[in-house]
Amino acid sequence: MIEIHIKAIKRGGVIMDNKRDQWGTKLGFILAAVGSAVGLGNIWRFPYLVYENGGGAFLVPYFFAIFTAGIPLLILEYGMGHKFKGSTPLAMERGNKKWEWLGWWPSITAFFILGYYSMILSWAMKYFTLSFSKGWGSDPNSFFYNDFLKLTDSPFQFGTVIWPVLIGIILVWGISWFICYKGVKGGIEKLNKVLLPTLVGIMIVIVVRGITLEGATLGLNKLFTPDWNKVMEPKVWIAAYGQVFYSLSLAMGIMMTYSSYLPKKTDINNSAFMTAFANCGFEFLCAIGVFAILGFMATSQGVGIDEVVSSGIGLAFIVFPKVFSVMGIWGTILGCLFFTCLVFAGLTSCVSLVEAVSSAIIDKTGWERKKVVSVIALAGVVMSSTFASGAGLYILDIMDNFINCYGIVVVGLLEAIVIGWIIKPATIRNHTNKTSYFRIGKWWDFTVKFITPTMLAIMLISNFVKEIKTPYGGYNIPELFAYGWSVIALGIIGALLASKSPWRNKAIEDFKEESEEEVV
Ligand code: TRP
């Protein structure tokens, strides 16, 4: 019975793999891909990066990076997933047997990222509820670290369980579980179709209110006034490539997994451009909103922008609550809207991470989606609960740094090298061009073979040199080993082990027939 169910059905010369999930529409796929790309990085990382790296002048390296790395790599990942019809490890294995492990590494890393991503979402949910009463009080800084997180003195001191954080983490995992349990079309696509437009709508409200605040222009001028000298600095270019890479969720296995659910005739090249531009547009929107609000803050306190500007967790959970507190009723409204944005932007990314992990395991084991997703969610809750302690913020800080500086960069670098030099870019280019309205030329091969690896190699070396000179964040070596290097090592070891075990999903065998057919 099962055999019959799994076996691909041949109709009119087309093999229909009736086991693999599929998107309902191309728009659904693009929304989901944008949903993964649009995340906390757009909201709290990009605005600061522009400000710090030359303002308006930063747009030159930024767009250069989008065209020479962002879009080419998106096409590459979409092309791999679509051509080889598999989760990241399966697509890599089908591209070249020896490189299956390179597909497992990001899948394992995705699981670790979920550990802290779910925690940040849990904080954002809690802050959403606090927004109504401005429950962070008159000193948001001390509230956040002491009252809310009960931060201990060092990463090895766990303190007590932080219940509100733990409950939030369970909630986030519960939602992600439910969405992925429902499948690609019935869960992920539906979620993104609702959350993404809502997210953009809310952000537009924030921006409109933001730019009409007193002092907003001060912030916007600071943000966009170009400092052309910065364009000469290599570190600015590295930052631009880093942001594009991070913001488009590249080298995490997400885009390959998502594109493997596309029907055969899909315009891949066009989808890549749309994803990149949508993400980039949202990034700009966020930058305008954030800096308008910071401009208001600086004006109302009579200080310079430099004194209020910040990014990341500090911006969302300390500086913005301070702004909302001085604003009256609009503070309450903006607070609720802002934390809703964080939650929505984060949830769609969370779901994409869970899907990347699940898809790989489904392909490998042949287990039912429902079973795989449930096991991952349970394991995830257990793993994430270590974060719901007084040391959570430290663990997050170290892990995030190592995953971003080494994990993602090395995977991206190897991905470009393996596809550029072993699988050969023409394999993918010919495939995507076949189904795309506008065709990509040889320039694309050049970016995959040379430009992307060069930039990533420079990024990697500069991160490493920095790390050797001054270990990250003032932590000591055992701490960095425990939460940083170990995550990288576990990712690689786990990936090598996973690639040793055989593929048990019967549906996979059908692909061979299909690829042979394509060759004929
Ligand atoms: N793109 C996300 C952001 O802008 C961050 C991110 C990087 C991510 N890699 C990812 C999110 C993988 C989900 C999956 O915030």
Side-chain angles (χ1 to χ4, degrees), residues 36-37 39-42 117 246-247 249 252 254 349 352-353:
S36 173
L40 305 172
N42 297 56
Y117 225 82
Y246 178 81
S247 187
S249 302
M252 273 318 303
I254 314 280
S349 300
S352 73
L353 289 163

Side-chain angles (χ1 to χ4, degrees), residues 35-45 110 113 117 243 245-254 279 283 345-346 348-350 352-353 404 408:
S36 173
V38 162
L40 305 172
N42 297 56
I43 301 175
W44 72 28
R45 194 167 186 265
I113 295 182
Y117 225 82
Q243 172 64 15
F245 221 74
Y246 178 81
S247 187
L248 287 172
S249 302
L250 292 165
M252 273 318 303
I254 314 280
N279 179 62
E283 244 165 21
T348 49
S349 300
C350 240
S352 73
L353 289 163
N404 288 330
I408 297 183

